Amino acid sequence: MLALSSQLGATAKAVAFVMAGRSLNDVLLDGSVVKPDMRAGVQALSFAVLRNWGMARALRELLAPREPMPPVDALLCTALALLVSEPDSGASYTDFTLVNQAVDAAKAHSKTRTSASFINAILRRFLREREALTQQAARSEEAQYNHPQWWIDQLRREQPGNWQAILAANQMKPPLTLRVNLAKTTVVEFTELLALQGVATLGTEMAPLQPLLDKACGLVLRDTPAVQGLPHYADGWFSVQDIAAQGAAAQLLNDEFLARLVGRAKQGHKIRVLDACAAPGGKTTHLIERLLCAFADAGMPVLSGEDWGKHFEVVALELDAKRARRVHENLSRLKQRAVVKIADAAQVANWWDGVPFDAILLDAPCTASGIVRRHPDVRWLRRESDAGAMGHIQLAMLQSLWTTLAAQGRLLYATCSVFQLEGEVIKRQFLQIERQAKALDSHGLWLPSLLHDGFYDALFEKTTA
Ligand SMILES: C[S@@+](CC[C@H](N)C(=O)[O-])C[C@H]1O[C@@H](n2cnc3c(N)ncnc32)[C@H](O)[C@@H]1O
């Protein structure tokens, strides 16, 4: 059993690195900061701390107006964040234990006892005056909502009726959501298999989303069991994917468009689909599942290895070679095939063979402002100018990829951001630039909620005019 004090010490260090600009994932994998046997514990504690960092900082400023030395400050704020975190936050220790262990952590990290006594005095004062202090701290919005002030201001401007609900959703723990592989099983059969293992789903709460998702295959689980232990994981009967993300392939390759593509395949045309930013491959494999089902439904099943290239080809691009390996791993677990290329999607001349694509998914790199509940470090890592800068990159990618799309082909532009500069604004600019682009109905902005992440999508068709 690892002492909580060592975990607190490592968490304080990890969070300090995040505040200096490193992603939490990166820090957790750095053995010089977090020893491998501590990783899971430190991750759970860091999540709780980052979700309460705004409040913790404001409290520290009230309790100790003169900023302590950085390591002491980090440990103090870490302990304060855990003292104010929700009971189910992954850090459910009593106040007494937390304070004692934080003091032990301070002793272990400092040769003198001064910092330990300082931390002890501050934390005990916080416990005595908790209510008055938290009320006073909450006068700052950064403390009340636990997001940077610029982020709160931007959301309030863009979403006057929803900004508080978005910020509240960002504080929730996300559910585990599966995408059932309809090429292998059905939602009913898989739900029954889960039930046999005692795994409950929130099926009925999904009902309002069903028409949107078109042959919905999403299952939100009530708890968060280890996925490897769920039925037929190794056989590829399901993938882990958020509901909003499942909307991407479902909208790009919706039933109506798939019927059109299958019709063309019947006339001997080989369907070409591009996933331009593919890693780890969640949407690549979904696109393939939808193609497999459509061809099977049309009496043209793609069963054996040799059949794979017969009706369709899926090309998956990824800039980052290490991440591209994840695409291969996912394809192999699901027993699927795609042409995986390591390339910059915007540099078309470097990877395109000149044969147009019938459908393109651009799941573009973005600020990830819609998946804050899964990555609580994101809000503290981003800067105000980031959404605009990412939007520029996204527009350039859209324009380059558009040249590779066939006439009457479709392109879905998606980001996991809630900021308009990485969504609606880019859609408008793109439609002004590309006269052949026609906007089709799509979901648009998914506001983060209990059931799904924040996400944006826009669907375009290339007209012949
Ligand atoms: C939002 S993630 C994609 C998630 C993926 N579609 C899925 O559902 O599993 C964006 C990916 O784009 C990659 N990327 C960033 N810039 C790129 C570029 N210029 N060309 C190709 N891939 C790029 C990133 O490395 C990252 O893996």
Side-chain angles (χ1 to χ4, degrees), residues 275-283 318-320 323 343-346 363-365 397:
D275 185 355
C277 293
K283 299 186 186 73
E318 171 55 48
L319 186 62
D320 181 331
R323 285 176 60 81
D344 180 343
D363 186 20
M397 290 178 98

Side-chain angles (χ1 to χ4, degrees), residues 185-257:
T185 179
T186 64
V187 171
V188 172
E189 182 186 29
F190 195 70
T191 310
E192 281 166 9
L193 284 176
L194 287 175
L196 284 176
Q197 279 198 11
V199 177
T201 60
L202 301 180
T204 50
E205 294 180 31
M206 296 271 302
L209 291 168
Q210 303 281 330
L212 251 175
L213 294 176
D214 185 13
K215 279 197 191 160
C217 46
L219 285 178
V220 181
L221 303 194
R222 198 191 54 202
D223 305 312
T224 47
V227 283
Q228 286 87 348
L230 295 178
H232 296 287
Y233 171 77
D235 308 322
W237 279 32
F238 68 90
S239 300
V240 173
Q241 191 177 44
D242 184 80
I243 288 294
Q246 293 185 27
Q251 292 181 93
L252 176 60
L253 298 183
N254 68 16
D255 280 355
E256 170 246 322
F257 188 54

Side-chain angles (χ1 to χ4, degrees), residues 230-368:
L230 295 178
H232 296 287
Y233 171 77
D235 308 322
W237 279 32
F238 68 90
S239 300
V240 173
Q241 191 177 44
D242 184 80
I243 288 294
Q246 293 185 27
Q251 292 181 93
L252 176 60
L253 298 183
N254 68 16
D255 280 355
E256 170 246 322
F257 188 54
L258 273 173
R260 205 199 289 172
L261 294 180
V262 169
R264 295 198 63 203
K266 278 185 179 153
Q267 292 163 358
H269 172 78
K270 185 161 162 179
I271 306 304
R272 295 195 89 211
V273 176
L274 173 70
D275 185 355
C277 293
K283 299 186 186 73
T284 314
T285 51
H286 194 193
L287 291 166
I288 295 173
E289 278 158 31
R290 291 193 63 84
L291 287 161
L292 289 174
C293 289
F295 279 101
D297 288 352
M300 304 157 78
V302 177
L303 298 172
S304 71
E306 283 185 5
D307 281 347
W308 265 98
K310 206 159 111 190
H311 304 313
F312 65 83
E313 178 178 71
V314 173
V315 177
L317 297 182
E318 171 55 48
L319 186 62
D320 181 331
K322 225 162 127 192
R323 285 176 60 81
R325 265 187 256 144
R326 302 273 313 279
V327 183
H328 285 292
E329 284 163 18
N330 275 315
L331 286 166
S332 114
R333 184 177 64 86
L334 294 162
K335 322 251 172 333
Q336 297 178 351
R337 291 194 195 175
V339 179
V340 182
K341 291 186 184 177
I342 297 163
D344 180 343
Q347 304 295 320
V348 168
N350 292 348
W351 57 265
W352 188 41
D353 59 8
V355 183
F357 292 100
D358 300 286
I360 298 178
L361 173 63
L362 169 57
D363 186 20
C366 69
T367 59

Side-chain angles (χ1 to χ4, degrees), residues 14 21 31 47 89 169 184 190 194 239 250 281 323 329 338 390-391 393 397 427 429 460 464:
F47 270 45
S89 64
K184 301 238 179 204
F190 195 70
L194 287 175
S239 300
R323 285 176 60 81
E329 284 163 18
M390 294 311 291
I393 295 172
M397 290 178 98
K427 175 183 177 178
Q429 290 179 357
F460 305 104
T464 39

Side-chain angles (χ1 to χ4, degrees), residues 54 140-160 162-164 166-167 170 379-380 384 419:
S140 120
E141 287 190 329
E142 210 165 294
Q144 187 184 353
Y145 297 110
N146 285 297
H147 283 70
Q149 190 63 48
W150 67 264
W151 188 304
I152 300 168
D153 293 340
Q154 194 158 325
L155 272 188
R156 186 169 22 219
R157 273 196 305 276
E158 294 183 4
Q159 300 292 337
N162 297 314
W163 63 279
Q164 283 161 308
I166 297 175
L167 293 170
N170 288 351
R379 67 189 96 175
W380 307 114
E384 192 169 359
F419 294 137

